[in-house]
Amino acid sequence: MTPQLDPPPTLSKPDHHSSPQRAQMRFALLGNPNTGKTTLFNRLCGVRSNTANFPGSTVEARKGIRNFQGMRYEVIDLPGLYGLNLDRPESSFCKAYLAGNIETAQRPDGIIIVTDATNLSRNLIFASQALQQNLPAIVALNMIDLAQRGGLTIDIKKLGEYLGCPVIPICARSGEGVPDLLKAMTSPVISDANLPDPTIAQGASEWSDEVIARSVGGHSAIGTAGDSFTDRLDMAFTHPILGVLIFTAIMTGLFYTIFALATVPMDLIDILFLHLGNLFGAVLPAGALHDLVVDGVVAGIAGVVVFLPQICVLFFLLTILEDTGYLARAAFVTDRILRKFGLPGQAFVPFLSAHACAIPAIMSARLIPDHRDRMATILTAPFMSCSARVPVYVLIIGMLFGNNALYAGLAFTGCYVMGAVAALLSSLLFRRTFLKGPARPMILELPTYKMPSLRTALLTTYDRAMVFLKNAGTVIVSICIVLWWLGEYPHVAPPADAIALRVEAEQIADSDPDGSQAKLLMADVLEAKHAKAESYVGQIGHTLEPVFKPLGFDWQLTIGVMTSLLAREVFVSTMTVVLAGTEDDPAENHTVRERIVGAARSDGTPLFTTPAAASLLVYYVLAMQCLPTLVVTRRETGSWKWAGFQLVYMTGLAYLLALIVFHSLTWMGVA
């Protein structure tokens, strides 16, 4: 039965209905997906936030701090959900958190229910469920600007009276109304309105429509009259053929933009670290400390930080696309594809997240209810090209295509497509063998089109950049120091050829100074190459070289491949350290990329021939080169068996295809 709406009561409540005012209060943000909840969180907390994996939970939530008029608010951005009583992981998580059964024994001091003013019919149903949790509440009526632009007139006071709590109209994207929301957070109210039974869907729907009829006016008051222009856009973006073509074109344009815009800042960072290395080299006396700082720490960090512009541009553009509402249309298009490979539509979210990092992608697979669907997603998500692969892609594609941004952009897109195809075909194989079972369809709501928020895009970009730099400042520096030590020791006597060159140089020093200097430089090169080959890292590389030689890798590339198992992004830093001192003319100041691109093998031939570079690129697209990802796979699946299978399968597939690419190009005579 639908509850009969009494005449709207006033919002004057007994004192016990209000949350007690303290110096610090904790609020939980609740809302349906696509209501702008996370945008509001970013508006409230900015960079003062972090992602928390609460003990005993299966879903992550973000935590942030906001100080306002002497009050300190802790804000928890809970996952978006369609209902608190659904048999879904996010629903169980949110309900447990509101009950105080997660992280602490205490319940939050209040909840902020974020609703979409342009889609009140569904949002009010969820709001009625949240208001019945017996917690002080505020309803944030987001996207009020879009509602007004669409002809809706909302009686905020009357709507608040029917809900039994304050209703604050806001625009999270622009910040309009947020100060009013902060003021309301000082005194949230426990609703005592006549709300519908959450277990009766029909009654809740009728109640929502009746509330809208009494408090909202305009041609779109209940439901939506539709917009012919946006409808035409949806028809194009979600078309089974045209939609895929548009998606491919947008992604190609995105990657082309990465190469076109990031070139200048990359060059500046490269030059900056070159001068920084020279500065430390001039200040520090010659010796082990000098070599450690210049060739180990500075060069190693430079090899990763130089690619920060591409990382920033990538996530900035992806966030812009998501904010406009386009990525939801892309999910609709890809759902048709995923179902053909035995994957649920929900796998689109982990697959998209995997382009940032496979670790949160694997963890987000917890939201997939079916065990077989979840396992298939976990095992294949690392095929998607994560941000850690970007520095390797940029380095190798730059070798293959030079300054041709168009070909480089197409190759970059090809890397992402190759990873996606490998994930889909592997999923199909798994679902038809040891993970048999039907895939569940995905229920997806297409959000309204919106102007993207530059603030949200910049905050997301900043967050990703900080994660990348923190890795460069901890794991990568540690690896660089270890690699420097392995590459520097043990000290060995110079080769006979180098000794002979020094003797010759001394003999002609007076008669031919230039010739003498040239022989000394050549002797330095021979000594450096001999020392590197006889070092610990050289010995390891030579031992494992036969395994990777069929792919065109020598002992130096073998070291890069093996060490990057700890983290893919350290490949560039590893090669920088391993190749330190091996350039043909040590008198020149080579940048990081020039040092790697111009490197030579022990026999003097180029290290990065076209077949070897293409083979290496294919290997890094497909191989499991991330130990932390394997650890997370073990934790999520509960067994090292699945992590071991993931390592062997992905690395074996990468080896096989890289082998085919190398020998095919060699057979065709490509130099």
Side-chain angles (χ1 to χ4, degrees):
M1 293 293 295
T2 304
Q4 297 299 316
L5 293 183
D6 299 324
T10 65
L11 283 180
S12 300
K13 299 281 191 296
D15 291 341
H16 67 275
H17 284 164
S18 297
S19 177
Q21 296 188 16
R22 300 193 301 272
Q24 177 170 329
M25 298 177 67
R26 179 191 300 163
F27 278 87
L29 281 182
L30 283 170
N32 289 153
N34 303 315
T35 56
K37 178 173 58 63
T38 299
T39 302
L40 175 59
F41 175 83
N42 288 332
R43 175 67 60 177
L44 289 172
C45 303
V47 297
R48 291 164 297 182
S49 64
N50 65 286
T51 301
N53 186 26
F54 293 113
S57 71
T58 58
V59 182
E60 287 185 338
R62 296 179 66 197
K63 300 171 65 175
I65 298 296
R66 176 61 185 259
N67 297 312
F68 182 76
Q69 295 184 352
M71 287 289 295
R72 177 182 173 88
Y73 297 109
E74 182 182 13
V75 183
I76 313 296
D77 182 19
L78 296 178
L81 68 164
Y82 288 106
L84 287 169
N85 301 314
L86 300 177
D87 184 19
R88 300 277 299 170
E90 65 271 24
S91 300
S92 301
F93 170 82
C94 291
K95 199 164 186 178
Y97 181 82
L98 297 179
N101 296 330
I102 292 181
E103 187 190 27
T104 66
Q106 296 181 345
R107 308 176 74 192
D109 299 307
I111 56 176
I112 300 174
I113 306 167
V114 184
T115 58
D116 181 356
T118 65
N119 193 3
L120 277 178
S121 182
R122 178 181 54 77
N123 279 242
L124 287 180
I125 296 175
F126 174 78
S128 69
Q129 296 177 12
L131 290 171
Q132 295 181 60
Q133 301 304 305
N134 199 34
L135 282 168
I138 305 167
V139 171
L141 194 61
N142 195 21
M143 306 184 200
I144 191 65
D145 56 331
L146 297 181
Q148 293 170 343
R149 199 176 305 152
L152 290 177
T153 55
I154 303 175
D155 189 330
I156 301 299
K157 182 179 180 182
K158 186 176 294 185
L159 180 61
E161 290 169 345
Y162 281 122
L163 294 176
C165 70
V167 176
I168 310 297
I170 66 168
C171 175
R173 184 180 61 84
S174 66
E176 178 185 353
V178 173
D180 295 331
L181 177 63
L182 287 167
K183 294 177 182 177
M185 288 169 65
T186 61
S187 54
V189 173
I190 297 177
S191 174
D192 61 358
N194 187 21
L195 300 172
D197 186 342
T199 63
I200 304 177
Q202 182 64 27
S205 179
E206 292 176 0
W207 171 86
S208 173
D209 290 343
E210 191 170 352
V211 170
I212 292 174
R214 296 192 183 189
S215 57
V216 181
H219 67 275
S220 300
I222 297 180
T224 176
D227 185 310
S228 58
F229 176 69
T230 58
D231 288 344
R232 289 195 296 269
L233 285 179
D234 283 341
M235 290 178 63
F237 289 149
T238 60
H239 191 273
I241 298 176
L242 183 59
V244 173
L245 294 177
I246 293 174
F247 176 77
T248 303
I250 289 177
M251 291 297 106
T252 301
L254 182 145
F255 296 131
Y256 172 81
T257 304
I258 291 174
F259 274 93
L261 292 184
T263 301
V264 173
M266 278 183 65
D267 291 339
L268 293 176
I269 292 175
D270 221 348
I271 294 172
L272 173 64
F273 275 93
L274 175 63
H275 288 298
L276 188 62
N278 291 337
L279 176 62
F280 280 109
V283 172
L284 295 174
L289 180 61
H290 173 280
D291 296 339
L292 169 63
V293 173
V294 176
D295 295 328
V297 178
V298 175
I301 295 178
V304 174
V305 176
V306 71
F307 298 103
L308 183 63
Q310 286 95 340
I311 304 282
C312 292
V313 174
L314 172 64
F315 286 109
F316 179 81
L317 294 179
L318 281 178
T319 305
I320 291 292
L321 286 176
E322 182 180 15
D323 217 13
T324 60
Y326 171 72
L327 284 189
R329 275 79 183 172
F332 184 84
V333 171
T334 56
D335 179 57
R336 297 191 184 102
I337 300 173
L338 292 177
R339 277 185 284 135
K340 296 178 181 178
F341 293 92
L343 286 171
Q346 294 97 329
F348 172 79
V349 176
F351 280 178
L352 183 63
S353 301
H355 288 89
C357 179
I359 292 175
I362 290 174
M363 296 178 67
S364 67
R366 302 171 184 177
L367 296 175
I368 300 176
D370 184 77
H371 174 71
R372 290 184 298 270
D373 291 342
R374 185 165 59 252
M375 290 297 299
T377 303
I378 289 173
L379 293 175
T380 57
F383 275 120
M384 299 297 174
S385 293
C386 64
S387 60
R389 287 180 170 105
V390 172
V392 183
Y393 290 175
V394 173
L395 174 69
I396 302 175
I397 290 174
M399 296 177 190
L400 293 172
F401 299 103
N403 296 321
N404 193 319
L406 177 60
Y407 287 165
L410 290 173
F412 208 96
T413 303
C415 292
Y416 279 72
V417 172
M418 183 188 299
V421 170
L424 294 177
L425 293 180
S426 298
S427 298
L428 182 62
L429 174 64
F430 298 162
R431 293 308 307 272
R432 291 189 175 182
T433 53
F434 56 88
L435 292 175
K436 288 184 178 180
R440 297 186 181 184
M442 179 179 67
I443 300 175
L444 178 69
E445 177 189 10
L446 298 181
T448 56
Y449 292 99
K450 299 183 290 292
M451 285 294 294
S453 168
L454 291 179
R455 176 186 174 89
T456 298
L458 290 173
L459 285 173
T460 301
T461 303
Y462 173 82
D463 180 61
R464 297 299 182 184
M466 288 300 102
V467 170
F468 189 76
L469 290 178
K470 286 176 182 177
N471 288 336
T474 54
V475 177
I476 295 175
V477 171
S478 301
I479 292 175
C480 287
I481 293 174
V482 172
L483 285 173
W484 168 83
W485 185 86
L486 291 174
E488 196 71 17
Y489 296 94
H491 291 305
V492 294
D497 292 345
I499 295 175
L501 283 173
R502 293 191 183 280
V503 171
E504 293 176 10
E506 186 176 353
Q507 292 174 349
I508 63 173
D510 295 331
S511 60
D512 186 6
D514 292 338
S516 175
Q517 186 65 28
K519 289 182 180 294
L520 288 175
L521 290 176
M522 190 177 301
D524 289 340
V525 171
L526 290 175
E527 284 189 23
K529 290 184 176 180
H530 178 72
K532 192 67 68 175
E534 297 300 322
S535 66
Y536 291 125
V537 74
Q539 295 173 31
I540 296 172
H542 285 300
T543 301
L544 298 177
E545 182 180 9
V547 177
F548 291 94
K549 189 174 182 179
L551 307 184
F553 304 169
D554 76 334
W555 66 272
Q556 300 168 103
L557 283 177
T558 299
I559 289 298
V561 169
M562 297 305 297
T563 55
S564 60
L565 178 62
L566 298 177
R568 293 182 181 96
E569 60 267 36
V570 306
F571 172 80
V572 180
S573 296
T574 299
M575 297 309 299
T576 303
V577 175
V578 169
L579 297 173
T582 63
E583 53 266 24
D584 292 335
D585 187 356
E588 292 188 14
N589 285 326
H590 292 282
T591 64
V592 171
R593 283 177 291 173
E594 288 172 344
R595 179 184 299 178
I596 296 176
V597 173
R601 299 172 185 259
S602 299
D603 59 4
T605 59
L607 178 62
F608 289 101
T609 62
T610 298
S615 172
L616 183 65
L617 182 62
V618 170
Y619 186 86
Y620 265 90
V621 170
L622 300 175
M624 168 50 74
Q625 292 290 106
C626 186
L627 182 60
T629 298
L630 292 172
V631 174
V632 173
T633 296
R634 183 267 168 199
R635 187 178 66 185
E636 295 300 310
T637 60
S639 171
W640 280 109
K641 174 185 71 174
W642 292 112
F645 170 80
Q646 191 178 54
L647 172 64
V648 172
Y649 176 80
M650 292 183 64
T651 304
L653 181 63
Y655 190 97
L656 176 63
L657 293 183
L659 180 71
I660 293 173
V661 168
F662 176 74
H663 287 283
S664 297
L665 292 176
T666 302
W667 178 77
M668 290 186 293
V670 178

